[in-house]
Amino acid sequence: MGNTVNVKKPRPVNLDLQTIRFPVTAIASILHRVSGVITFISVGILLWLLSLSLSSINGFQTAADIVDSFFVKFVLWGIMTALFYHIVGGIRHIIMDMGYFEEIESGNQSAIVSFAITGVLSVIAGVLVW
Ligand code: HEM
């Protein structure tokens, strides 16, 4: 038949997940989206904490007690790390929008640099939180 599409045509299939490697730029991209969503959710949490701390002397004490637990500090550190990555990755995006680092090699390098800068900022965030 003239217009029949043969859907049974054998296509290359790779179900062995161990052999699939994402390019570093793909990882940078998905992390930027994830960190944007985390930042968005964090705005609510942080505004609630700020409003609690400003509500009264007792409210401030309650907020200080909440932030005193290891788990909450860990979450705050995670929030700060996500925000830092989002800012650093965002600046990388803006630089790329201006026409730089658009080739595969320079794109890979700028992704790795953005990870490294975030790593340093994340350590600083940890020092600030603890
Ligand atoms: C409250 C603060 C922020 C929130 C909640 C937020 C959230 C988001 C979200 C959800 C996205 C969409 C991601 C996607 O579709 O893949 C995004 C994209 C973006 N954000 Fe943010 N963001 C914030 C602050 C910033 C800051 C400070 C920068 C500065 C560099 C920035 C730079 C960007 C850029 C350049 C994009 C577009 C990335 C692309 O084209 O794929 N963002 N943001």
Side-chain angles (χ1 to χ4, degrees):
M1 297 274 171
N3 284 333
T4 309
V5 177
N6 183 2
V7 291
K8 292 256 168 71
K9 198 168 100 191
R11 291 156 299 167
V13 173
N14 181 6
L15 294 177
D16 183 1
L17 295 179
Q18 299 278 341
T19 65
I20 297 176
R21 265 230 164 68
F22 284 110
V24 69
T25 44
I27 296 168
S29 174
I30 192 64
L31 283 180
H32 193 249
R33 177 168 292 188
V34 170
S35 64
V37 173
I38 291 175
T39 304
F40 178 71
I41 295 167
S42 308
V43 171
I45 298 172
L46 296 176
L47 279 180
W48 169 77
L49 201 59
L50 178 66
S51 116
L52 176 64
S53 78
L54 295 176
S55 60
S56 65
I57 295 175
N58 283 341
F60 180 86
Q61 196 51 52
T62 310
D65 291 343
I66 291 172
V67 173
D68 212 26
S69 90
F70 175 85
F71 176 71
V72 174
K73 284 185 178 181
F74 186 75
V75 171
L76 286 179
W77 171 74
I79 287 175
M80 288 169 85
T81 299
L83 175 62
F84 283 143
Y85 179 71
H86 194 80
I87 293 173
V88 174
I91 292 171
R92 172 173 173 265
H93 259 290
I94 294 167
I95 293 173
M96 290 174 91
D97 288 344
M98 293 190 291
Y100 304 96
F101 306 132
E102 288 188 309
E103 292 72 34
I104 285 190
E105 201 42 48
S106 57
N108 285 339
Q109 283 165 357
S110 69
I112 291 168
V113 168
S114 71
F115 291 156
I117 295 173
T118 304
V120 173
L121 294 174
S122 175
V123 170
I124 294 173
V127 172
L128 283 174
V129 169
W130 275 284

